[in-house]
Amino acid sequence: MKTYDILVVGGGVNGCGIARDAVGRGYSVLLCEQNDLGGGTSAASTKLVHGGLRYLEHYEFRLVRESLIEREVLLRMAPHIIWPLRFVLPHHKGLRPAWLLRLGLFLYDHLGGRKLLPPTQVRDLRRDPEGASLTDAFRKGFEYSDCWVEDSRLVVLNAMDAAERGAEIRVGSRCAEARRDGQLWRVVLQGQDGERETVAARLLINAAGPWVDKVLSSTLGSNSPRRVRLVQGSHIVVPRLFDHDKAYIFQNADGRIVFAIPYETDFTLIGTTDRDWDGDPGDVEISDEEVQYLCTAVSEYLAKPVTPDQVVWTYSGVRPLYDDGASKAQEATRDYVLTLERGSEETSTPALLNVFGGKITTYRRLAEAALTRLQEALPVKGQPWTAGTTLPGGDFPVEGFEVLVARLMEDYAFLRPAAARRLLRAYGTRCWQLLGQAKSNEDLGQVFGADLTEVEVDYLMRAEWARRAADVVWRRSKLGLRMTAEEIATLDDWMVERAAHLNQSLQAAG
Ligand SMILES: Cc1cc2nc3c(=O)[nH]c(=O)nc-3n(C[C@H](O)[C@H](O)[C@H](O)COP(=O)(O)OP(=O)(O)OC[C@H]3O[C@@H](n4cnc5c(N)ncnc54)[C@H](O)[C@@H]3O)c2cc1C
């Protein structure tokens, strides 16, 4: 039976971030993910690397400061999948006064050592182009900076980097049972085909996001009380609503905020809702009421109202918020909490580290904090290293994206500009590896729909653990927005066949 230093349960942003940090410090690491990487909450976020302007109202200064600092760290680590985004915040006469918005944005600009991102500006919405899409009621506004992130790609790139440094990443592998046995954990992993395998680990990390309590109770047999509060958040996607590349942040009369963000060139992303969820996180789905809520919220601001029949796609996720006893979903802390549970008194091993809460934005800091905690139970190895180390494909300067586009178009002159940009946004400098010796579109093989080619799907299967069509068209890309159901079904069949072929070749080789 193979023994690892660390076994991470959960391939969301937090589990993959911890696995990457730990393997880079010299620990042997196995990560198991029951479905697809980023198949839980990490693919269902609003996709912002942000300080969280609204959390200032809840006095979460530590979290906001850490998040604001982290924006630029992450931007430098992965400038292909993370980029600056400007937000327009219209002043609503009946809601927060202008002086309060100004104060909040002053803090936002100055709390987090901003260097790359431009500061807040006052906007005259009667004259400025961003006012043109709004009703006449909105005359004044503010514009501030945050960043956009391709959330599911961030998860996969952390897993890739971890694997390239020696971690084992298992997708479609559920941690079905874990028991302490002397100095070690004995962990049963169950594949989606039902096959079970037992491995051993010196330390177990429960990074199962909204399933963290379930792993504690069912898998580990612990009877500790519930410690995460599950809060559903849903988004809708509609055809593009405005002609500029800035996002809006709208205040709602119930105290919440709703974003309207330029999305995948031709669309606008609207979200999010915030309501308690008590079902299985895997079953979460947007309700008609949430669709209506989001349409009503943005229609109060936009000159042209948005209606449910415009919705082309939706997604829903469950926030695993640490249960601090707050009364309303939107008031529960967004900060993360790590707990280290020791085994027997005498040996103090094997230990269990639980991850509660956390945001996409703070995943790297959460991983560093997890490494500090786990070194109470494992021999200390390595130093923090992830802040200055780029993720796969991100080894180019923050301002260098256009230069990269020009280089790719020169090396692969047959690519359409839109396709080149999409590939670079997804894979960065790894595009050269993906496209290899291709000299023409024909060399890229079958086209499955939109501009998705056989060469790209093959790369996603070999390098990024994609197994089914949904992994490709809804997580590692959003090409599902441009493909028909038939095209997606054909892709799925092709991938299943290809996977069987790859497995056969692997078995023959070894
Ligand atoms: C609507 C919404 C909007 C958000 N917007 C933002 C935002 O804009 N910016 C931001 O910074 N944060 C945002 N967040 C928060 C952020 O998305 C989450 O906090 C983060 O993704 C949680 O990551 P995680 O790794 O802890 O959980 P998850 O991504 O859910 O990962 C946990 C994984 O564990 C796996 N798992 C569970 N049980 C087992 C088992 N027994 N064996 C193996 N695997 C298992 C699951 O399949 C899952 O993939 C948002 C969240 C929501 C819901």
Side-chain angles (χ1 to χ4, degrees), residues 5 11 103 139 145 150 184 198 203 207 209 241 262 265 268 279 291 343-344 363 366 373 388 414 428 437 463 499:
D5 291 330
L103 175 67
R139 297 171 173 195
S145 292
E150 296 294 337
L184 295 174
T198 304
L203 182 118
L241 295 174
T265 315
T268 300
V291 174
S344 71
Y363 90 92
L366 182 152
R373 277 318 293 277
F414 60 88
Q437 301 301 316

PDB file of all heavy atoms in Angstrom, residues 5 11 103 139 145 150 184 198 203 207 209 241 262 265 268 279 291 343-344 363 366 373 388 414 428 437 463 499:
ATOM      1  N   ASP A   5       2.643  11.615   2.437  1.00  0.00           N
ATOM      2  CA  ASP A   5       2.672  12.522   3.590  1.00  0.00           C
ATOM      3  C   ASP A   5       1.281  13.111   3.793  1.00  0.00           C
ATOM      4  O   ASP A   5       0.779  13.177   4.901  1.00  0.00           O
ATOM      5  CB  ASP A   5       3.657  13.681   3.342  1.00  0.00           C
ATOM      6  CG  ASP A   5       5.099  13.212   3.333  1.00  0.00           C
ATOM      7  OD1 ASP A   5       5.400  12.220   4.028  1.00  0.00           O
ATOM      8  OD2 ASP A   5       5.921  13.836   2.619  1.00  0.00           O
ATOM      9  N   GLY A  11     -11.016  18.488  -4.915  1.00  0.00           N
ATOM     10  CA  GLY A  11     -10.278  19.168  -5.980  1.00  0.00           C
ATOM     11  C   GLY A  11     -10.950  20.449  -6.381  1.00  0.00           C
ATOM     12  O   GLY A  11     -11.203  20.710  -7.550  1.00  0.00           O
ATOM     13  N   LEU A 103     -16.194  56.980   0.864  1.00  0.00           N
ATOM     14  CA  LEU A 103     -15.351  56.541   1.978  1.00  0.00           C
ATOM     15  C   LEU A 103     -14.947  55.073   1.789  1.00  0.00           C
ATOM     16  O   LEU A 103     -13.777  54.711   1.941  1.00  0.00           O
ATOM     17  CB  LEU A 103     -16.100  56.722   3.303  1.00  0.00           C
ATOM     18  CG  LEU A 103     -15.382  56.191   4.551  1.00  0.00           C
ATOM     19  CD1 LEU A 103     -14.126  57.020   4.835  1.00  0.00           C
ATOM     20  CD2 LEU A 103     -16.303  56.233   5.771  1.00  0.00           C
ATOM     21  N   ARG A 139     -27.340  59.622 -12.204  1.00  0.00           N
ATOM     22  CA  ARG A 139     -26.571  60.731 -12.772  1.00  0.00           C
ATOM     23  C   ARG A 139     -25.109  60.687 -12.380  1.00  0.00           C
ATOM     24  O   ARG A 139     -24.259  61.183 -13.089  1.00  0.00           O
ATOM     25  CB  ARG A 139     -27.159  62.044 -12.276  1.00  0.00           C
ATOM     26  CG  ARG A 139     -28.568  62.196 -12.766  1.00  0.00           C
ATOM     27  CD  ARG A 139     -29.233  63.343 -12.138  1.00  0.00           C
ATOM     28  NE  ARG A 139     -30.519  63.527 -12.779  1.00  0.00           N
ATOM     29  CZ  ARG A 139     -31.232  64.600 -12.659  1.00  0.00           C
ATOM     30  NH1 ARG A 139     -30.799  65.604 -11.916  1.00  0.00           N
ATOM     31  NH2 ARG A 139     -32.391  64.698 -13.264  1.00  0.00           N
ATOM     32  N   SER A 145     -11.467  49.512  -9.378  1.00  0.00           N
ATOM     33  CA  SER A 145     -10.807  48.331  -9.966  1.00  0.00           C
ATOM     34  C   SER A 145     -10.976  47.065  -9.138  1.00  0.00           C
ATOM     35  O   SER A 145     -10.943  47.123  -7.905  1.00  0.00           O
ATOM     36  CB  SER A 145      -9.290  48.558 -10.056  1.00  0.00           C
ATOM     37  OG  SER A 145      -8.966  49.527 -10.981  1.00  0.00           O
ATOM     38  N   GLU A 150     -10.880  33.325 -14.526  1.00  0.00           N
ATOM     39  CA  GLU A 150     -11.542  32.130 -15.047  1.00  0.00           C
ATOM     40  C   GLU A 150     -11.434  31.087 -13.940  1.00  0.00           C
ATOM     41  O   GLU A 150     -10.420  30.384 -13.825  1.00  0.00           O
ATOM     42  CB  GLU A 150     -10.844  31.662 -16.331  1.00  0.00           C
ATOM     43  CG  GLU A 150     -10.927  32.651 -17.476  1.00  0.00           C
ATOM     44  CD  GLU A 150     -12.352  32.843 -17.982  1.00  0.00           C
ATOM     45  OE1 GLU A 150     -13.198  31.959 -17.782  1.00  0.00           O
ATOM     46  OE2 GLU A 150     -12.622  33.889 -18.580  1.00  0.00           O
ATOM     47  N   LEU A 184      -0.878   6.301  11.038  1.00  0.00           N
ATOM     48  CA  LEU A 184      -1.318   6.623   9.672  1.00  0.00           C
ATOM     49  C   LEU A 184      -2.838   6.673   9.531  1.00  0.00           C
ATOM     50  O   LEU A 184      -3.565   6.098  10.339  1.00  0.00           O
ATOM     51  CB  LEU A 184      -0.799   5.556   8.693  1.00  0.00           C
ATOM     52  CG  LEU A 184       0.716   5.466   8.510  1.00  0.00           C
ATOM     53  CD1 LEU A 184       1.057   4.263   7.634  1.00  0.00           C
ATOM     54  CD2 LEU A 184       1.267   6.742   7.873  1.00  0.00           C
ATOM     55  N   THR A 198      -7.093   1.111  -1.316  1.00  0.00           N
ATOM     56  CA  THR A 198      -6.749   1.682  -0.009  1.00  0.00           C
ATOM     57  C   THR A 198      -5.344   2.267  -0.068  1.00  0.00           C
ATOM     58  O   THR A 198      -4.424   1.632  -0.584  1.00  0.00           O
ATOM     59  CB  THR A 198      -6.823   0.604   1.092  1.00  0.00           C
ATOM     60  OG1 THR A 198      -8.129   0.032   1.050  1.00  0.00           O
ATOM     61  CG2 THR A 198      -6.584   1.206   2.470  1.00  0.00           C
ATOM     62  N   LEU A 203      -1.121  12.579   7.021  1.00  0.00           N
ATOM     63  CA  LEU A 203      -2.029  13.676   7.382  1.00  0.00           C
ATOM     64  C   LEU A 203      -3.147  13.750   6.346  1.00  0.00           C
ATOM     65  O   LEU A 203      -2.904  13.567   5.156  1.00  0.00           O
ATOM     66  CB  LEU A 203      -1.252  15.001   7.396  1.00  0.00           C
ATOM     67  CG  LEU A 203      -2.090  16.207   7.794  1.00  0.00           C
ATOM     68  CD1 LEU A 203      -1.528  16.810   9.074  1.00  0.00           C
ATOM     69  CD2 LEU A 203      -2.089  17.276   6.717  1.00  0.00           C
ATOM     70  N   ALA A 207     -10.740  19.226   2.405  1.00  0.00           N
ATOM     71  CA  ALA A 207     -10.987  20.473   1.669  1.00  0.00           C
ATOM     72  C   ALA A 207     -12.187  20.251   0.755  1.00  0.00           C
ATOM     73  O   ALA A 207     -12.146  20.574  -0.431  1.00  0.00           O
ATOM     74  CB  ALA A 207      -9.742  20.856   0.869  1.00  0.00           C
ATOM     75  N   GLY A 209     -15.055  21.624   0.626  1.00  0.00           N
ATOM     76  CA  GLY A 209     -15.951  22.753   0.365  1.00  0.00           C
ATOM     77  C   GLY A 209     -17.288  22.557   1.049  1.00  0.00           C
ATOM     78  O   GLY A 209     -17.356  22.293   2.259  1.00  0.00           O
ATOM     79  N   LEU A 241     -25.588  43.083 -22.944  1.00  0.00           N
ATOM     80  CA  LEU A 241     -26.520  44.165 -22.638  1.00  0.00           C
ATOM     81  C   LEU A 241     -25.948  45.555 -22.893  1.00  0.00           C
ATOM     82  O   LEU A 241     -26.686  46.528 -22.948  1.00  0.00           O
ATOM     83  CB  LEU A 241     -26.943  44.100 -21.161  1.00  0.00           C
ATOM     84  CG  LEU A 241     -27.749  42.882 -20.716  1.00  0.00           C
ATOM     85  CD1 LEU A 241     -27.957  42.913 -19.209  1.00  0.00           C
ATOM     86  CD2 LEU A 241     -29.101  42.830 -21.429  1.00  0.00           C
ATOM     87  N   PRO A 262     -19.476  41.992 -18.368  1.00  0.00           N
ATOM     88  CA  PRO A 262     -19.270  41.520 -19.740  1.00  0.00           C
ATOM     89  C   PRO A 262     -18.742  40.085 -19.695  1.00  0.00           C
ATOM     90  O   PRO A 262     -17.833  39.782 -18.912  1.00  0.00           O
ATOM     91  CB  PRO A 262     -18.176  42.445 -20.296  1.00  0.00           C
ATOM     92  CG  PRO A 262     -18.104  43.593 -19.367  1.00  0.00           C
ATOM     93  CD  PRO A 262     -18.620  43.138 -18.037  1.00  0.00           C
ATOM     94  N   THR A 265     -17.412  37.695 -24.485  1.00  0.00           N
ATOM     95  CA  THR A 265     -17.567  38.605 -25.625  1.00  0.00           C
ATOM     96  C   THR A 265     -19.014  38.969 -25.959  1.00  0.00           C
ATOM     97  O   THR A 265     -19.355  40.143 -26.057  1.00  0.00           O
ATOM     98  CB  THR A 265     -16.892  38.046 -26.909  1.00  0.00           C
ATOM     99  OG1 THR A 265     -15.608  37.539 -26.525  1.00  0.00           O
ATOM    100  CG2 THR A 265     -16.708  39.121 -27.957  1.00  0.00           C
ATOM    101  N   THR A 268     -23.696  38.831 -21.172  1.00  0.00           N
ATOM    102  CA  THR A 268     -23.556  39.531 -19.892  1.00  0.00           C
ATOM    103  C   THR A 268     -23.908  38.543 -18.792  1.00  0.00           C
ATOM    104  O   THR A 268     -24.920  37.823 -18.879  1.00  0.00           O
ATOM    105  CB  THR A 268     -24.512  40.751 -19.834  1.00  0.00           C
ATOM    106  OG1 THR A 268     -24.183  41.638 -20.912  1.00  0.00           O
ATOM    107  CG2 THR A 268     -24.352  41.511 -18.518  1.00  0.00           C
ATOM    108  N   GLY A 279     -30.045  21.280   1.052  1.00  0.00           N
ATOM    109  CA  GLY A 279     -29.995  19.994   0.354  1.00  0.00           C
ATOM    110  C   GLY A 279     -28.560  19.546   0.121  1.00  0.00           C
ATOM    111  O   GLY A 279     -27.620  20.088   0.697  1.00  0.00           O
ATOM    112  N   VAL A 291     -34.251  33.676 -10.761  1.00  0.00           N
ATOM    113  CA  VAL A 291     -34.123  34.279 -12.095  1.00  0.00           C
ATOM    114  C   VAL A 291     -34.860  35.615 -12.096  1.00  0.00           C
ATOM    115  O   VAL A 291     -34.335  36.653 -12.531  1.00  0.00           O
ATOM    116  CB  VAL A 291     -34.707  33.351 -13.193  1.00  0.00           C
ATOM    117  CG1 VAL A 291     -34.714  34.042 -14.546  1.00  0.00           C
ATOM    118  CG2 VAL A 291     -33.925  32.045 -13.280  1.00  0.00           C
ATOM    119  N   GLY A 343      -4.676  13.130  16.503  1.00  0.00           N
ATOM    120  CA  GLY A 343      -5.104  11.771  16.777  1.00  0.00           C
ATOM    121  C   GLY A 343      -4.955  11.493  18.255  1.00  0.00           C
ATOM    122  O   GLY A 343      -5.427  12.266  19.091  1.00  0.00           O
ATOM    123  N   SER A 344      -4.202  10.428  18.605  1.00  0.00           N
ATOM    124  CA  SER A 344      -4.067  10.070  20.013  1.00  0.00           C
ATOM    125  C   SER A 344      -3.175  11.078  20.734  1.00  0.00           C
ATOM    126  O   SER A 344      -2.316  11.711  20.130  1.00  0.00           O
ATOM    127  CB  SER A 344      -3.472   8.670  20.126  1.00  0.00           C
ATOM    128  OG  SER A 344      -2.121   8.734  19.728  1.00  0.00           O
ATOM    129  N   TYR A 363      -7.470  31.843  -2.015  1.00  0.00           N
ATOM    130  CA  TYR A 363      -7.098  30.415  -1.969  1.00  0.00           C
ATOM    131  C   TYR A 363      -5.599  30.227  -1.712  1.00  0.00           C
ATOM    132  O   TYR A 363      -5.190  29.316  -1.004  1.00  0.00           O
ATOM    133  CB  TYR A 363      -7.517  29.706  -3.271  1.00  0.00           C
ATOM    134  CG  TYR A 363      -6.437  29.742  -4.330  1.00  0.00           C
ATOM    135  CD1 TYR A 363      -5.515  28.708  -4.448  1.00  0.00           C
ATOM    136  CD2 TYR A 363      -6.282  30.847  -5.160  1.00  0.00           C
ATOM    137  CE1 TYR A 363      -4.491  28.763  -5.378  1.00  0.00           C
ATOM    138  CE2 TYR A 363      -5.268  30.901  -6.093  1.00  0.00           C
ATOM    139  CZ  TYR A 363      -4.368  29.859  -6.194  1.00  0.00           C
ATOM    140  OH  TYR A 363      -3.345  29.918  -7.104  1.00  0.00           O
ATOM    141  N   LEU A 366      -4.852  30.987   1.862  1.00  0.00           N
ATOM    142  CA  LEU A 366      -5.421  29.886   2.655  1.00  0.00           C
ATOM    143  C   LEU A 366      -4.462  28.688   2.617  1.00  0.00           C
ATOM    144  O   LEU A 366      -4.198  28.059   3.644  1.00  0.00           O
ATOM    145  CB  LEU A 366      -6.795  29.526   2.105  1.00  0.00           C
ATOM    146  CG  LEU A 366      -7.585  28.433   2.834  1.00  0.00           C
ATOM    147  CD1 LEU A 366      -9.093  28.669   2.650  1.00  0.00           C
ATOM    148  CD2 LEU A 366      -7.253  27.028   2.379  1.00  0.00           C
ATOM    149  N   ARG A 373      -0.222  25.474   9.495  1.00  0.00           N
ATOM    150  CA  ARG A 373      -0.920  24.650  10.497  1.00  0.00           C
ATOM    151  C   ARG A 373      -0.458  23.201  10.446  1.00  0.00           C
ATOM    152  O   ARG A 373      -0.190  22.592  11.481  1.00  0.00           O
ATOM    153  CB  ARG A 373      -2.444  24.686  10.262  1.00  0.00           C
ATOM    154  CG  ARG A 373      -3.227  25.837  10.814  1.00  0.00           C
ATOM    155  CD  ARG A 373      -2.867  26.276  12.197  1.00  0.00           C
ATOM    156  NE  ARG A 373      -3.139  25.369  13.311  1.00  0.00           N
ATOM    157  CZ  ARG A 373      -4.311  25.236  13.930  1.00  0.00           C
ATOM    158  NH1 ARG A 373      -5.349  25.926  13.529  1.00  0.00           N
ATOM    159  NH2 ARG A 373      -4.446  24.420  14.951  1.00  0.00           N
ATOM    160  N   GLY A 388       5.462  34.197  -5.886  1.00  0.00           N
ATOM    161  CA  GLY A 388       6.138  34.726  -7.068  1.00  0.00           C
ATOM    162  C   GLY A 388       6.268  33.705  -8.182  1.00  0.00           C
ATOM    163  O   GLY A 388       7.037  33.919  -9.117  1.00  0.00           O
ATOM    164  N   PHE A 414      -2.461  30.609 -39.624  1.00  0.00           N
ATOM    165  CA  PHE A 414      -3.786  30.165 -40.092  1.00  0.00           C
ATOM    166  C   PHE A 414      -4.884  30.396 -39.058  1.00  0.00           C
ATOM    167  O   PHE A 414      -6.070  30.327 -39.368  1.00  0.00           O
ATOM    168  CB  PHE A 414      -3.719  28.666 -40.459  1.00  0.00           C
ATOM    169  CG  PHE A 414      -3.327  27.789 -39.293  1.00  0.00           C
ATOM    170  CD1 PHE A 414      -4.281  27.295 -38.430  1.00  0.00           C
ATOM    171  CD2 PHE A 414      -1.993  27.481 -39.066  1.00  0.00           C
ATOM    172  CE1 PHE A 414      -3.919  26.494 -37.354  1.00  0.00           C
ATOM    173  CE2 PHE A 414      -1.621  26.682 -37.987  1.00  0.00           C
ATOM    174  CZ  PHE A 414      -2.583  26.195 -37.119  1.00  0.00           C
ATOM    175  N   GLY A 428      -2.529  30.416 -22.255  1.00  0.00           N
ATOM    176  CA  GLY A 428      -1.334  31.253 -22.178  1.00  0.00           C
ATOM    177  C   GLY A 428      -0.215  30.672 -23.028  1.00  0.00           C
ATOM    178  O   GLY A 428      -0.432  30.219 -24.162  1.00  0.00           O
ATOM    179  N   GLN A 437       3.139  21.215 -33.999  1.00  0.00           N
ATOM    180  CA  GLN A 437       3.671  21.442 -35.358  1.00  0.00           C
ATOM    181  C   GLN A 437       2.583  21.837 -36.358  1.00  0.00           C
ATOM    182  O   GLN A 437       2.845  21.862 -37.559  1.00  0.00           O
ATOM    183  CB  GLN A 437       4.344  20.158 -35.866  1.00  0.00           C
ATOM    184  CG  GLN A 437       5.492  19.656 -34.999  1.00  0.00           C
ATOM    185  CD  GLN A 437       6.587  20.699 -34.874  1.00  0.00           C
ATOM    186  OE1 GLN A 437       6.978  21.325 -35.861  1.00  0.00           O
ATOM    187  NE2 GLN A 437       7.067  20.922 -33.656  1.00  0.00           N
ATOM    188  N   ALA A 463      -3.572  16.561 -20.638  1.00  0.00           N
ATOM    189  CA  ALA A 463      -2.867  17.450 -19.697  1.00  0.00           C
ATOM    190  C   ALA A 463      -3.752  17.983 -18.584  1.00  0.00           C
ATOM    191  O   ALA A 463      -3.252  18.460 -17.568  1.00  0.00           O
ATOM    192  CB  ALA A 463      -2.258  18.623 -20.468  1.00  0.00           C
ATOM    193  N   ALA A 499     -11.022   8.053 -24.558  1.00  0.00           N
ATOM    194  CA  ALA A 499     -10.520   7.663 -23.229  1.00  0.00           C
ATOM    195  C   ALA A 499     -10.262   6.157 -23.200  1.00  0.00           C
ATOM    196  O   ALA A 499      -9.240   5.706 -22.670  1.00  0.00           O
ATOM    197  CB  ALA A 499     -11.518   8.062 -22.146  1.00  0.00           C
TER     198      ALA A 499
END
